[in-house]
Amino acid sequence: MPLVTREMTLSEIISAYPDTRAVFASNGLPLEQTNHLFLTALTVESFMSLRNINPEIFLKLLNDTAEASSEVKILYTDETPVVRTDFLGYVVCPFKHLYKEAFEKKLHGHYDRTGEKLVSFVPMGCGGPDPYEYIWDTENIDELPDAIASIGFGNFWRKDFRERFLDNGKFIAVERPPLQDVFRELEDPLKQYTIYSVSAYVILVDHKKLGDLPVPKTWLDIANPIYKDNVIISGSDDEINEVFLMHIYKDGGEEALKNLAPNIKATWHASQMAKAAGSSMADGAAIYVLAWFFADTCPNTDHISIIFPEDGAMISPMYMMVKADKAERMKPVTDFMTGAEMGAISAGSKFPPLCPEIPNILPEGTGLKWFGWDFVRENDMKVLAEELNARLAKYRRKCGSVNLLKPSPSKKGFKRMMVKG
């Protein structure tokens, strides 16, 4: 039975099969300028007559397009799924492709065994438009995926999101075996978030540029005035590394934030730091703060050292949550995220996994620097990061530093997708 018939209205067809918009547009229908009531009243039969179109060819084209657009893939990486997403998964850029390959194989294996498609959206780009950017802001749990994985202290750590969907038990952590001692404090005591891996931040020191200055021993040392204009931190034009900034504030208060401001020479992407450290680049610095993965890729090894501070490598969480009433259905996804295969992918890129089956990859004698769950829950982490960035920018202006930092706007209301189901 054909999906599209002569008696259907154009509005019905376009609503059910959005890809058919291109077919109508290429046959002389300017959809952007066409009144919706006209589309509701106009049938395919009338449109073909109006445009003097060959019915046999046009109906086949419409049906072929409708059939193709109605097929639901398992894993989407660029375009938004045509149905509600079961799993939304953000992972760090360095191992996205390895993750995508292994995860897609897992999804297809589950489909082959059960006939069930767990539709997933795993964006492969690093930055750029995100159709789910404001989904955290919904009031309706049915608009959220059944499981969510993300990185850092973003919108899913906001207090209002926690109050709407975590504190009432609608989203929960994943059941898993006991963690190794080094990761034990990362187990959420309220069983809301599941941290399955971490991005470990270290200090990369260029000894030629450091000269006679001492190597920083702790993270708070970086706020020492002796390092004025000699620190480059991972970040962008509008925000500095959130984990570093919050730890400086937590450990040293407002005074440490003020002292840090003149020390910051620039905010760079971590890959740029890895290339500059130990080189003759004039715009480099003596001290770099970046993820261990990137520090480990630095090619200029003669004059650099990777420092794990005495108070531990700062960590940014890679975490996951699942709807309580969908936890059993989503086990193929959550088991993969917390399992050995994912753990091996993460460990191979210097992102320590919490999977007990994977040996601890941290250098002997080093540890992790974690905020603690009390601090995380007492603060709105996303808002705190924005506020600290704004205050740091003010201090940088006062001390004459070039101001590249400004607070990120907080926007209400996510752009809802047109989906079926």
Side-chain angles (χ1 to χ4, degrees):
M1 180 178 178
L3 298 174
V4 176
T5 64
R6 295 169 181 260
E7 297 77 22
M8 293 175 69
T9 68
L10 272 57
S11 178
E12 288 176 325
I13 297 166
I14 292 170
S15 177
Y17 312 109
D19 289 355
T20 59
R21 294 173 64 91
V23 178
F24 288 113
S26 64
N27 282 274
L29 182 65
L31 289 168
E32 300 301 327
Q33 291 82 40
T34 302
N35 187 286
H36 177 70
L37 291 176
F38 178 73
L39 297 179
T40 303
L42 189 65
T43 64
V44 175
E45 181 73 50
S46 300
F47 177 71
M48 292 189 298
S49 176
L50 184 67
R51 300 297 301 171
N52 195 25
I53 296 173
N54 183 311
E56 183 179 351
I57 296 175
F58 188 67
L59 282 170
K60 184 179 186 308
L61 181 58
L62 278 178
N63 274 287
D64 288 348
T65 304
E67 185 176 353
S69 68
S70 66
E71 291 180 358
V72 178
K73 296 192 301 184
I74 291 181
L75 181 64
Y76 292 77
T77 58
D78 297 308
E79 74 278 20
T80 306
V82 297
V83 296
R84 191 183 63 80
T85 306
D86 294 314
F87 173 65
L88 175 62
Y90 299 97
V91 297
V92 293
C93 289
F95 61 67
K96 272 188 177 183
H97 288 280
L98 288 173
Y99 165 74
K100 184 247 181 189
E101 183 179 339
F103 183 53
E104 190 168 26
K105 183 178 178 181
K106 177 72 173 181
L107 292 175
H108 280 287
H110 176 73
Y111 175 70
D112 290 342
R113 289 190 303 273
T114 67
E116 180 183 38
K117 288 185 177 181
L118 297 174
V119 179
S120 301
F121 182 75
V122 179
M124 294 302 289
C126 294
D130 177 6
Y132 293 94
E133 184 175 2
Y134 303 112
I135 198 170
W136 65 273
D137 199 33
T138 181
E139 301 286 339
N140 182 3
I141 192 170
D142 292 333
E143 291 183 328
L144 292 167
D146 293 341
I148 299 170
S150 194
I151 51 181
F153 291 101
N155 290 317
F156 298 119
W157 295 85
R158 288 183 182 270
K159 273 192 173 181
D160 50 355
F161 179 85
R162 298 203 311 259
E163 289 168 357
R164 286 197 304 273
F165 301 118
L166 277 75
D167 293 345
N168 55 16
K170 291 181 179 179
F171 274 92
I172 60 173
V174 175
E175 293 291 333
R176 61 180 172 187
L179 301 180
Q180 300 174 49
D181 288 345
V182 68
F183 301 118
R184 196 68 55 81
E185 64 177 340
L186 301 184
E187 193 74 85
D188 183 358
L190 297 187
K191 299 189 181 303
Q192 295 175 345
Y193 297 94
T194 301
I195 298 178
Y196 65 87
S197 186
V198 296
S199 180
Y201 287 90
V202 298
I203 300 172
L204 187 61
V205 172
D206 184 328
H207 293 281
K208 289 179 69 175
K209 287 186 169 62
L210 188 68
D212 295 331
L213 294 175
V215 173
K217 293 183 178 179
T218 69
W219 288 107
L220 199 54
D221 285 347
I222 294 178
N224 190 318
I226 63 174
Y227 299 119
K228 181 179 180 180
D229 200 33
N230 229 341
V231 179
I232 294 178
I233 301 174
S234 58
S236 61
D237 287 351
D238 60 356
E239 61 181 0
I240 199 172
N241 180 291
E242 60 190 18
V243 174
F244 173 75
L245 201 54
M246 288 191 285
H247 271 300
I248 290 294
Y249 179 73
K250 181 175 184 286
D251 292 348
E254 200 71 20
E255 191 64 25
L257 206 62
K258 291 179 184 178
N259 292 339
L260 175 67
N263 292 2
I264 300 174
K265 184 174 183 178
T267 54
W268 286 359
H269 189 277
S271 61
Q272 187 179 1
M273 288 190 253
K275 293 177 183 177
S279 74
S280 58
M281 291 176 58
D283 55 352
I287 297 168
Y288 301 85
V289 176
L290 70 172
W292 184 16
F293 166 84
F294 289 102
D296 195 58
T297 65
C298 180
N300 311 306
T301 56
D302 289 345
H303 307 288
I304 62 116
S305 294
I306 296 176
I307 307 298
F308 282 77
E310 293 175 357
D311 45 344
M314 292 187 310
I315 56 173
S316 179
M318 301 181 201
Y319 64 95
M320 179 174 49
M321 63 192 83
V322 62
K323 289 179 182 177
D325 60 351
K326 303 293 183 182
E328 186 62 32
R329 176 175 181 262
M330 297 305 295
K331 270 186 68 65
V333 171
T334 57
D335 284 352
F336 176 83
M337 297 298 293
T338 58
E341 186 173 11
M342 180 62 178
I345 292 171
S346 185
S349 297
K350 301 292 185 184
F351 293 94
L354 275 62
C355 176
E357 298 175 62
I358 305 298
N360 174 24
I361 65 169
L362 291 167
E364 187 175 354
T366 63
L368 301 174
K369 187 173 178 65
W370 166 240
F371 291 111
W373 289 101
D374 288 344
F375 180 85
V376 167
R377 289 199 161 92
E378 287 165 3
N379 293 279
D380 186 318
M381 299 296 276
K382 180 69 172 176
V383 172
L384 178 61
E386 292 171 351
E387 290 176 350
L388 293 179
N389 266 295
R391 276 142 62 183
L392 181 65
K394 180 185 69 174
Y395 295 139
R396 293 191 76 200
R397 287 194 296 271
K398 283 185 176 180
C399 70
S401 296
V402 176
N403 178 36
L404 295 177
L405 305 175
K406 54 182 180 295
S408 301
S410 178
K411 301 180 181 179
K412 295 292 287 180
F414 76 94
K415 184 170 66 177
R416 287 170 168 80
M417 287 69 66
M418 296 293 293
V419 299
K420 300 185 300 177

